[in-house]
Structures are given as structure tokens and as C-alpha cells.
Amino acid sequence: MNGKLLLLVDGSSYLYRAFHAMSQSDLRNSRGEPTGAIYGVLNMLRRLHKDYAADYSACVFDAKGKTFRDDAYPEYKANRPPMPDDLACQIAPLHDAIRAMGWPLLIVDGVEADDVIGTLAHAGERAGMNVVISTGDKDITQLVTPHVTLVNTMTNEVLDETGVEKKFGVRPDRIIDYLSLIGDSV
């Protein structure tokens, strides 16, 4: 390994989690527009930069619209409710704020943030970097290797290979099988 650190943030995961975590406080700007998700995500990003001195970093979001999975399986995420209006109106200002903080913001049409993060994590690892992925999405635990670690700033949980096995009872390379067997409401 070359000692460089790549920090990848699942912005879409954190957007939803911050929205639901901050919904009780009903934060709004002077125009009455909701800002709780923006506040939550920006605080998480500030904390990550403080905790991880990354050589490279990116905040990755899902693109609007359908993905290749929707084309392959029309029922993909059929049980997921539509995005609340109070969340949707925070996305553009959040993206602007993330860019203003100096974070590269990645959105790839037709591809979910998870897929972009997986691709970048593998590329970083192949280039000899250590990779930290910040997410609350358990599906991404399949990416954990000796050089890829997950961190969840909402729970202060850090998962390396041993942590994944301790939490789920299976190695990271078996997470897909594990999730398939236990099922998932989404």
C-alpha cells in the first residue's frame, strides 16, 4: 500500500438518515424552508474531515431517475415510498454547500451511489490506497477488505473485516448471501 487514504461518503445514505434524525427539530431558514438534512449532512462531513486526513475524498449521491437496475427489474425498490417534499427541496442547496466546502461531488446518471462507491473503492485499493467508506448502508459491508473500512458517523461504528464478521456472523465476502437469506424490507 502506498499510504494514501481515499475517503468516500455515501451522500444519499446520509441525506436520508440526517433528514429522519433531524425531523424532530424541524430546522428551517428565514424563508421557512427546511434545513435539517443539510445541517446534519454538513456536520457529518466536517467531522469526517477532522477524523480522517484523507489524501482524496468524494461525496457521492444517487442520480435522479431510473437506474440500470430499474431497466433489468421493473419492481426494483417498488416498496420504497416517494421522497418527502421537505427532503427533496434540500438536495440542491446541500449539493451547493458540499461543493462550497471543497468536497468533490459525484453523481453518475443511471447509477446508484453504492455502485459508484464500489467502483471507486476497488480502484483505490488496486492503486495501493487504503479506503474509508462512510455510510449507514449495510449492503456496502460487502466491500470491506484488509484495505477498505466502513465508518458510520451516526452510530460511531467502524467496521473492518473482523467487525463485519462480529456484527453479522459472516465474512464481508458473504454479506450478499447473508442479506439474501435474511431478506430485506426494501
Side-chain angles (χ1 to χ4, degrees), residues 79 183-186:
N79 296 328
D184 197 331
S185 61
V186 296

Side-chain angles (χ1 to χ4, degrees), residues 119-151:
T119 300
L120 292 172
H122 284 299
E125 188 175 20
R126 279 193 310 273
M129 292 184 236
N130 289 308
V131 180
V132 171
I133 301 171
S134 185
T135 186
D137 187 345
K138 67 183 174 292
D139 295 349
I140 294 184
T141 56
Q142 66 186 290
L143 299 176
V144 172
T145 70
H147 301 287
V148 177
T149 304
L150 298 188
V151 63

Side-chain angles (χ1 to χ4, degrees), residues 58-128:
C59 192
V60 187
F61 282 86
D62 293 331
K64 280 185 183 178
K66 294 185 182 274
T67 69
F68 68 92
R69 286 188 178 87
D70 294 295
D71 294 335
Y73 181 61
E75 297 299 312
Y76 182 65
K77 293 190 179 180
N79 296 328
R80 187 165 284 182
M83 182 181 290
D85 291 339
D86 274 1
L87 176 57
C89 69
Q90 295 182 66
I91 294 173
L94 175 61
H95 289 176
D96 291 342
I98 290 169
R99 286 185 192 102
M101 288 175 69
W103 280 82
L105 184 76
L106 297 176
I107 301 169
V108 178
D109 287 335
V111 181
E112 290 184 6
D114 296 4
D115 299 309
V116 175
I117 289 168
T119 300
L120 292 172
H122 284 299
E125 188 175 20
R126 279 193 310 273

